[in-house]
């Protein structure tokens, strides 16, 4: 079973436990109160908390991918700049040698 399938089952059977896993202590306390008022409010809150946690996780993965791509582009730009600079220096030295007199 996938992690999300297990959380989904816990959301229905034991909403406070699923909320504690996904949302933390404050969400757990809120969910206990909601579940005590009725099973359905606890389940709805649990689904909201677990969905939010999943979206945050996906957002972090996307941000890491974007940073990785930006770093790669920066390295390429530096490499092109360094090659151009080296070419200009070598060309200047050759011109100095040829037209020394």
């Amino acid at each position: 079973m996938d992690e999300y399938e297990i959380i989904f089952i816990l959301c229905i059977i034991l909403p406070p436990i699923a909320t504690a896993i996904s949302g933390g202590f404050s969400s757990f306390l809120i969910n206990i109160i909601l579940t005590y008022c009725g099973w359905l409010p606890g389940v709805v809150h649990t689904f909201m908390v677990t969905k939010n946690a999943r979206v945050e996780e996906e957002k972090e993965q996307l941000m890491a991918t974007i940073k990785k791509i930006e770093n790669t582009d920066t390295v390429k730009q530096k490499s092109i700049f360094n090659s151009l600079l080296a070419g200009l220096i070598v060309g200047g030295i050759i011109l100095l040698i040829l037209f020394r007199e």
Side-chain angles (χ1 to χ4, degrees), residues 14 19 30 34 40 62 68 87 90:
L14 297 168
T19 304
I30 292 169
L34 288 171
L40 189 59
L62 285 172
K68 183 178 178 183
V90 169

Side-chain angles (χ1 to χ4, degrees), residues 21-75:
I21 292 171
S22 299
F25 187 70
S26 60
S27 294
F28 171 71
L29 290 177
I30 292 169
N31 194 267
I32 285 182
I33 294 168
L34 288 171
T35 305
Y36 181 74
C37 293
W39 175 76
L40 189 59
V43 171
V44 170
H45 179 256
T46 301
F47 277 117
M48 289 171 47
V49 169
T50 55
K51 180 65 177 174
N52 186 35
R54 195 182 303 178
V55 168
E56 288 294 323
E57 181 180 314
E58 290 173 0
K59 184 178 87 172
E60 288 176 8
Q61 290 174 349
L62 285 172
M63 290 302 292
T65 303
I66 289 170
K67 286 181 182 178
K68 183 178 178 183
I69 290 170
E70 286 177 351
N71 288 340
T72 303
D73 288 345
T74 303
V75 169

Side-chain angles (χ1 to χ4, degrees), residues 6-15 18-19 39 42-43 46-47 50:
I6 294 171
I7 293 291
F8 180 76
I9 293 169
L10 280 176
C11 285
I12 295 171
I13 297 172
L14 297 168
T19 304
W39 175 76
V43 171
T46 301
F47 277 117
T50 55

